[in-house]
Every structure is written in structure tokens, then in C-alpha cells.
Amino acid sequence: MTKSKNSDRMNRRNILTGIGIGGVGLTMGAPVRAALLPAGLRSEKHDVVVIGAGTAALVAALQAKQDGANVVVLEKTAADSSGGDSRMSGGIFFVPGKDTAESRQAFVDDNDRVTQGRGNKALFRVIADHAWSDIAWLKQQGSEFIEYEPARLGSGGTMTLAPAPWQGMPRWLATMQKQFTGLGGTIVYEAKAKQLIMDNRGHVVGVKVATQDGIVDYMANAVVIAAGGYCANKYMLEQLVHPDADAMLVRGAKTATGDGHLMALEAGAALQNMAGLATVSVVTVDPREPAGANPERALRHCVAINRDGKRYVDESKGLLINGRAALGQPGQVIALVFDENLKAEHDTQMSLAVYKALNLPVLEANTIEDLAGQIKVPAAQLKATIDAFNSAVQDGKALDANPPKAGLAAKIETPKFYAFYPLVPGITQTFGAITINTNAQVLEPDGRVIPGLYAVGNCAGPLYYDSYWPGGMQISCLVMGRIAGHQAALERA
Ligand SMILES: Cc1cc2nc3c(=O)[nH]c(=O)nc-3n(C[C@H](O)[C@H](O)[C@H](O)COP(=O)(O)OP(=O)(O)OC[C@H]3O[C@@H](n4cnc5c(N)ncnc54)[C@H](O)[C@@H]3O)c2cc1C
């Protein structure tokens, strides 16, 4: 983030009192249509229309198809760039440690804790109850996983799509597309959903879609919005999240422009968790490979150093707390420093493997002073910072360090010394979402269901606030995607 603006630009009232985006007026109460789209050049009727072709969409579409519905998937990009954030995802699914009642409860509690009690407990419960059976369903569809990894600081763990983190998703998306089209499902590419169509009962009965031929009306008994987040919508970011948020490096897909949120809002849906930095996931990434080069596994073990050569965060709190803290550091460039002992940690090895796969260098030096030169910080200050940190380390904690480190603290004392550098803040995803119930039905602010309208994936929930467990979004796409597909299929006449 390089530019800075007057804070009065973060005038959220603008966005909430009717400034139009893409021809849609945004208001707190009744939705307004600032620009009505014309009747379509032609019209098609399906049982279920799914907007998007990422994880949530493909899961919902395949489930609806398996339930016997006539399903069409509408994707705004060409086939080879479809899949939004899912295509660039690590492919990690967060699941309860075991398929037992106790473990499922611990999963709900872990999610509740990490979201400061402001996450969606009802959805966490549904996800906990379905996670393992839905992973089994995915395997039946031809999906391959690498082995279960227990979480270090929680009771759950992760399943990662084969062949490896950050590498499994494109192949997996292709598998899901093939399963869906193999059953007779249709995917229309370069078809951008623009506006929901409602009948005079207030039911959503279709979508107006911009195609290469012009506007086509895709009519349906149910519409599933699975259009992803809005980390690439600079206007929404700067108005809702932070005045400078539009200038942050975007890790996610360029397609994540909040189209689903805006369409749903226009139809009267409630949006929640849209304001402030706690509603986005900001992590530190290597700007040369912002999607993949996020040494998240190593982070908690390292010391994070700013441009002044000082620590600034409790690294054990994880990637989002570090990412947000890095936003406030001089020049917004940081380094993660570790030594030979920490290099041997399994988590560090996982991050090193990611860097190796991406062909990115990890800096190494025989002395702290030499490393200081490489990460462009004052050598004396870095030495003083590391010495002070080392002398505070006791029983895996460094509670007297400045700032304290509550866990995974180990002395940085054994050469060689290493650093992941440079790392800068980047937005991975947004948490603000269309409000849904446990059947994935879209709700109005007063809690009424909007008949015929479902939302799933990153655009729906909202699930998280402030923080999340790595893998928490893909598991939501899977579980809620299946539920949405099933429910939408039931709506056919
Ligand atoms: C680098 C990176 C790594 C990540 N790693 C993980 C991870 O390992 N585990 C995890 O749980 N989460 C991870 N996440 C988050 C996770 O990938 C996303 O939350 C998830 O993939 C969202 O899936 P989705 O189906 O909701 O949306 P997307 O995957 O973004 O798909 C949305 C689709 O809708 C299409 N679309 C958008 N608007 C329209 C429109 N108007 N009309 C038609 N089509 C439209 C888009 O083109 C896109 O194909 C990661 C995110 C990033 C950026």
C-alpha cells in the first residue's frame, strides 16, 4: 500500500445511502434500480441457475445435477481463467480432528474463538456436522487428497487437495467440471450475471446475463449466487474497509468484484460484516508471487522484523494478526527471521517447500549482522532486537519480550540465520457476505427468506470475522455448496 488518503474518504455513508455501483443503487432499506436492464434478446428456462464456476458453484451445481435438476452454470470469464479465488487457492480444507461429536464441538469452539465470538456459530455447526461426509463425497467424485494434518494450535486439522498445497486446485476444478458436464450439466463461459429477475410474488425467477450476443434472460426455479468475494473491487474496499485498502496488493482473483453481493443487495438481501479491517484477510506475501508465497506455516515460529529492525507483533497469533500489523509498519515491508534449529521444524519445512516450488530464494547468512544487510535493516538494531527476544524466551514463551510472544517462542541463536524477505501486506479474501440461513437461503435484514435465492462460498454467510482457520473457506464452499445445490434442486416444479 503506497498511497495515503484523507481519512474522510472512508465515508461509509456514501455507499450505504445510495451511490450506484454498476447501475445498482445501494440503500439501507428498499432496493432501488438505478438502471433497469432491458428484456433479454432471448430467454432460456432451467431448474437451477448457478452464478460462478469456483468451488462453491461447482459443488452446488454437481449436487443439484445429481438430484435430478436441469442445471446451468454461468461464468463471466473464459473457461481457462474460470474458478476465481478457488483456482489460486492452497486447496486446504479445515475439518474437525475426527468424525466424532466431541471433535465436531471442538471445531465449532475453535472457530468461535478465532472469530472473537463474532463468527457464524450456526454455520460452523452445520459445517462441523457435514465436513467428513462431504470430504468422502468429494473423493467419490474423483478428488484426491494428501494426508490429514493436525492443526498445531487447535483441535481440528486440514485435508489438502493432491498433489500439494497451492498446486492441487486447477486439476480439481477440472475434475469437478468433468463430473458435472458428464452428467449433462451445462457451463456457459463469458456469461456475466448482471441482475436478478423477480416475479410479482417477490420470488427470484432468473438472472439477466451479459453474453457475447447481448443480454440473455436465464429463467429458473432457483438461483444460486456463488460469485466469490470483492477483494478486487477497489471502490468497495476503500469505502467499506479502509480508505487505503484499495491500494493493498490483491492476492485473490481479479474476478472477485462483489457482483453477487451487489445483485443480492439490490434484491433486498442483508449484507453483514462489510466494514473495517476485521472484515478482510490481510496476510504478508512475497510481492513476486503474491498468490502462493505466503510463509504461513513458518510464521508462528519466526520473529517478524520491520524496516527499523524491530519486532512489532506476537508472531504466534498467526497470519491475519501479522498481516494487519504489517499494514502499520514503516514502508509496509517486513522479514520473517529464523535460525538453523527453527529451520528443522516441520512447519518451516512446509513453507520452505512452497518457496522452492515457486523458485523463490530464502535469504541466508552466517551472522545476524550479515542477514541485517540482506533484509535492509540497521544491523545493530537487529542484533539488539534478537538479543532482547532471546533473553525473554522461557518455556516456549517470551512474555517479557516487546511485544510479548505467547507461544512457539524459541531463541534465534544457531547459525545459519535465514529470512523470508521481502513480505508485504496483501488481501487474500473478504469476509463480508450475503446473509444466509443454514439452508443457504438468502435473507432480508428482517430475517425473511428471499424465495428462490441461495448464496454460497466466499460471498455467503457471513462466516468469519477478524480471523479464520486456514482451510476454513474451502470447507464452507463444500458443505454449504452441497446444501444449496440440494435445496435449489428441490424447488423445481
Ligand atoms: C491465494 C489464495 C489462497 C487461498 N487458499 C485457501 C485455502 O487453502 N483454503 C481455504 O479454505 N481458502 C483459501 N483461500 C480462500 C478461498 O480460496 C476462497 O474463499 C474460495 O475459493 C472462494 O470460492 P468461491 O467459489 O466462493 O469463489 P471463487 O472461487 O472466487 O469463484 C467465483 C467465480 O464466480 C465468477 N463470477 C464472479 N462474478 C460473476 C458474475 N457476475 N457472473 C458470472 N460469474 C461470476 C468468477 O469469475 C469465479 O469463477 C485462498 C484465497 C487466495 C486468494
Side-chain angles (χ1 to χ4, degrees):
M1 186 157 67
T2 51
K3 64 181 173 172
S4 169
K5 294 178 214 139
N6 192 320
S7 65
D8 69 8
R9 288 196 59 188
M10 189 171 61
N11 183 356
R12 288 197 280 276
R13 287 166 62 86
N14 285 351
I15 204 166
L16 294 173
T17 53
I19 286 181
I21 297 177
V24 175
L26 297 173
T27 60
M28 291 282 271
V32 242
R33 291 189 172 182
L36 286 175
L37 291 169
L41 293 171
R42 61 185 173 82
S43 167
E44 291 185 11
K45 176 69 173 45
H46 300 264
D47 295 329
V48 177
V49 166
V50 178
I51 301 172
T55 306
L58 292 175
V59 167
L62 180 56
Q63 182 61 60
K65 191 73 207 148
Q66 289 179 344
D67 288 349
N70 170 335
V71 186
V72 65
V73 167
L74 304 172
E75 165 56 48
K76 70 179 175 182
T77 71
D80 57 2
S81 49
S82 68
D85 280 349
S86 300
R87 182 170 290 279
M88 49 205 345
S89 155
I92 298 161
F93 291 66
F94 184 54
V95 293
K98 294 184 193 139
D99 197 10
T100 62
E102 191 184 32
S103 203
R104 291 193 284 270
Q105 183 59 47
F107 177 92
V108 174
D109 294 343
D110 277 354
N111 276 302
D112 192 40
R113 177 164 48 87
V114 83
T115 54
Q116 322 296 338
R118 291 186 61 176
N120 194 323
K121 277 193 265 306
L123 294 185
F124 293 147
R125 164 58 56 194
V126 173
I127 292 168
D129 289 347
H130 290 75
W132 279 111
S133 57
D134 286 355
I135 291 278
W137 176 82
L138 264 196
K139 288 181 179 170
Q140 285 162 16
Q141 317 311 315
S143 313
E144 292 170 40
F145 289 90
I146 53 178
E147 67 187 39
Y148 173 81
E149 275 259 352
R152 285 296 296 265
L153 297 174
S155 63
T158 56
M159 296 287 293
T160 302
L161 282 163
W166 312 102
Q167 291 167 45
M169 286 304 291
R171 185 171 94 181
W172 179 79
L173 288 169
T175 304
M176 293 297 282
Q177 287 161 4
K178 200 166 150 207
Q179 286 292 106
F180 174 63
T181 54
L183 288 177
T186 307
I187 306 179
V188 185
Y189 295 100
E190 300 187 16
K192 180 175 179 177
K194 299 285 283 185
Q195 189 172 50
L196 297 169
I197 302 169
M198 264 187 181
D199 68 8
N200 55 15
R201 299 167 303 161
H203 287 224
V204 170
V205 290
V207 192
K208 287 191 172 294
V209 181
T211 70
Q212 285 177 324
D213 303 329
I215 300 290
V216 176
D217 293 340
Y218 281 86
M219 308 306 288
N221 299 103
V223 172
V224 180
I225 301 176
Y230 50 92
C231 65
N233 186 324
K234 289 182 176 296
Y235 182 77
M236 288 176 80
L237 289 181
E238 72 170 1
Q239 291 291 326
L240 296 168
V241 174
H242 187 278
D244 291 329
D246 64 315
M248 275 190 276
L249 197 139
V250 176
R251 295 184 71 209
K254 303 277 179 291
T255 54
T257 46
D259 301 9
H261 296 72
L262 298 173
M263 269 183 274
L265 185 68
E266 186 192 25
L271 301 187
Q272 284 184 70
N273 290 5
M274 302 287 292
L277 279 168
T279 66
V280 294
S281 145
V282 181
V283 303
T284 51
V285 290
D286 191 310
R288 293 168 290 191
E289 287 282 355
N294 159 28
E296 62 172 282
R297 298 291 298 252
L299 163 65
R300 287 188 161 97
H301 301 272
C302 299
V303 291
I305 299 292
N306 69 14
R307 202 176 61 179
D308 294 338
K310 295 180 179 167
R311 288 181 61 244
Y312 59 89
V313 73
D314 179 344
E315 300 86 348
S316 71
K317 302 278 185 214
L319 75 165
L320 297 202
I321 303 294
N322 174 54
R324 228 171 277 150
L327 275 174
Q329 300 311 303
Q332 294 173 338
V333 179
I334 65 111
L336 292 182
V337 172
F338 56 105
D339 72 354
E340 201 64 43
N341 288 340
L342 289 173
K343 187 183 174 194
E345 285 282 343
H346 175 65
D347 281 338
T348 315
Q349 286 295 321
M350 294 282 284
S351 290
L352 289 170
V354 169
Y355 264 56
K356 192 169 175 200
L358 294 170
N359 214 10
L360 281 175
V362 175
L363 302 181
E364 58 178 76
N366 289 322
T367 62
I368 290 289
E369 288 80 357
D370 181 10
L371 193 70
Q374 296 190 50
I375 64 173
K376 300 184 175 59
V377 303
Q381 179 60 60
L382 182 63
K383 183 84 175 49
T385 299
I386 300 286
D387 287 348
F389 176 77
N390 286 349
S391 59
V393 172
Q394 210 173 3
D395 301 330
K397 298 178 180 166
L399 300 178
D400 293 332
N402 182 23
K405 187 170 183 186
L408 298 180
K411 292 183 181 180
I412 312 282
E413 59 184 2
T414 307
K416 291 181 171 180
F417 300 101
Y418 301 91
F420 295 103
Y421 174 88
L423 296 170
V424 301
I427 295 187
T428 309
Q429 59 187 334
T430 45
F431 296 147
I434 303 162
T435 309
I436 57 167
N437 62 18
T438 51
N439 280 334
Q441 291 171 294
V442 174
L443 304 179
E444 296 187 7
D446 63 7
R448 286 171 214 231
V449 166
I450 300 180
L453 187 59
Y454 296 82
V456 281
N458 186 264
C459 68
L463 200 54
Y464 293 106
Y465 181 85
D466 196 48
S467 190
Y468 74 115
W469 288 92
M473 279 295 182
Q474 291 289 352
I475 196 68
S476 158
C477 291
L478 170 61
V479 171
M480 297 313 295
R482 280 195 83 190
I483 289 173
H486 185 61
Q487 294 295 327
L490 289 176
E491 298 228 14
R492 67 187 184 280

